[in-house]
Amino acid sequence: MKKVFALLIGLVLLPLSVNAADFKEGTNYEVIKQTATEKPEVLEFFSFYCPHCFKFEPLMEKLAQDLPSDVTIKKSHVNFLGGAMADEVTKAYAAADLLDVKEEVTSIIFDRIHTQRKAISSQKDIIDIFAKAGVSEKDATAALASFPVNGMASQMKRNTENFKVRGVPTLIVNGKYKVNTGSVKSVEEFTELVTFLTKKTD
C-alpha cells in the first residue's frame, strides 16, 4: 500500500508526458494466469475501507476516459477489510450496481468513511446511503436481499480468492496480468501500461 500511496503523490507532482515505455514482466507487471479473458478488461479490487482506494478513484476515472472503447472496467469489492460489516458493504456495492446507482453510492460511501469519518455500523446506515442516492427504502431493502445481489457478492469473494488478492487497490488486466502500480511515474505512463496489457496476447 505504501507503494500505491507513493505513486499517487508522484502522479500529482510529475509531468503528465512520458516517452513510450518499454514495459517489462517482473518490473511493470506480473503474469498470474496462463490464459487471458476473451475480451480486454481491467478488474480493480478495492475496499471502501481502504484510504488508498479512496485516493485511487480519480486515477481510475481518468483511466476509464483514456482506455480504448472496447475495454471493460470492472470493480470487485474485497471482504478482508471492514470487520463485521465487510460482507454487508460488499452487498451494498452489488445492490448499487443492480439499481444503476453505483457511481452515486460509491461516492457517498467513500465520502462517509474517509471525509466525514463516520462508520457504517448497521443495515440502517446502508439504507440511509441508498436514500441519499435517490433509492427508496423499499427498493434498497429488496435489492439487498435479492438473489442477484447475493450472487454478485459471492462472485466478488470468489474473485478475491481466485486471484489471491491480499492488498488493495489491485489491478488485474485481461484476467492474466497484475499491474505493478509502484513502477510507473505519471498518470500517462499508468494509462500506457494498462493499455499495453489490454492489447498483450502472449
Side-chain angles (χ1 to χ4, degrees):
M1 290 187 180
K2 290 182 179 179
K3 289 184 178 180
V4 173
F5 184 71
L7 167 64
L8 295 169
I9 297 298
L11 294 176
V12 174
L13 298 178
L14 291 174
L16 301 185
S17 61
V18 293
N19 296 324
D22 181 20
F23 299 120
K24 297 179 180 179
E25 180 183 344
T27 300
N28 305 107
Y29 65 93
E30 299 171 25
V31 178
I32 58 172
K33 297 283 185 180
Q34 292 302 311
T35 57
T37 52
E38 184 176 340
K39 297 181 179 180
E41 68 172 44
V42 176
L43 176 59
E44 181 199 0
F45 289 90
F46 82 106
S47 170
F48 285 117
Y49 293 94
C50 165
H52 302 297
C53 297
F54 174 53
K55 295 178 184 296
F56 207 65
E57 277 292 289
L59 187 59
M60 289 303 298
E61 291 172 3
K62 181 71 167 58
L63 180 67
Q65 296 172 3
D66 294 342
L67 282 177
S69 59
D70 65 329
V71 179
T72 301
I73 294 182
K74 302 176 181 179
K75 294 169 76 77
S76 191
H77 193 266
V78 302
N79 288 21
F80 53 74
L81 296 176
M85 289 301 294
D87 290 344
E88 297 306 315
V89 172
T90 297
K91 286 173 60 177
Y93 181 70
D97 192 2
L98 183 69
L99 294 169
D100 199 26
V101 289
K102 187 166 58 176
E103 292 184 6
E104 293 87 342
V105 167
T106 294
S107 178
I108 291 167
I109 295 179
F110 269 134
D111 180 72
R112 178 188 179 102
I113 294 174
H114 299 288
T115 304
Q116 299 180 45
R117 305 291 183 182
K118 293 174 61 177
I120 298 174
S121 55
S122 66
Q123 188 77 354
K124 181 181 182 302
D125 290 341
I126 291 174
I127 296 299
D128 288 345
I129 287 166
F130 276 96
K132 290 181 179 179
V135 179
S136 69
E137 180 177 351
K138 178 182 178 181
D139 289 344
T141 301
L144 288 164
S146 69
F147 179 78
V149 162
N150 279 282
M152 293 164 69
S154 295
Q155 182 61 58
M156 284 188 270
K157 186 174 182 179
R158 287 194 296 271
N159 288 342
T160 302
E161 294 169 351
N162 290 340
F163 287 104
K164 297 179 173 60
V165 175
R166 299 291 182 267
V168 285
T170 291
L171 261 65
I172 307 295
V173 180
N174 293 357
K176 183 174 181 177
Y177 309 106
K178 178 182 176 182
V179 177
N180 292 338
T181 52
S183 69
V184 297
K185 300 177 177 65
S186 71
V187 172
E188 187 175 77
E189 190 175 356
F190 173 71
T191 301
E192 286 182 357
L193 172 56
V194 175
T195 302
F196 164 78
L197 293 174
T198 64
K199 296 178 179 179
K200 191 170 173 58
T201 57
D202 58 352

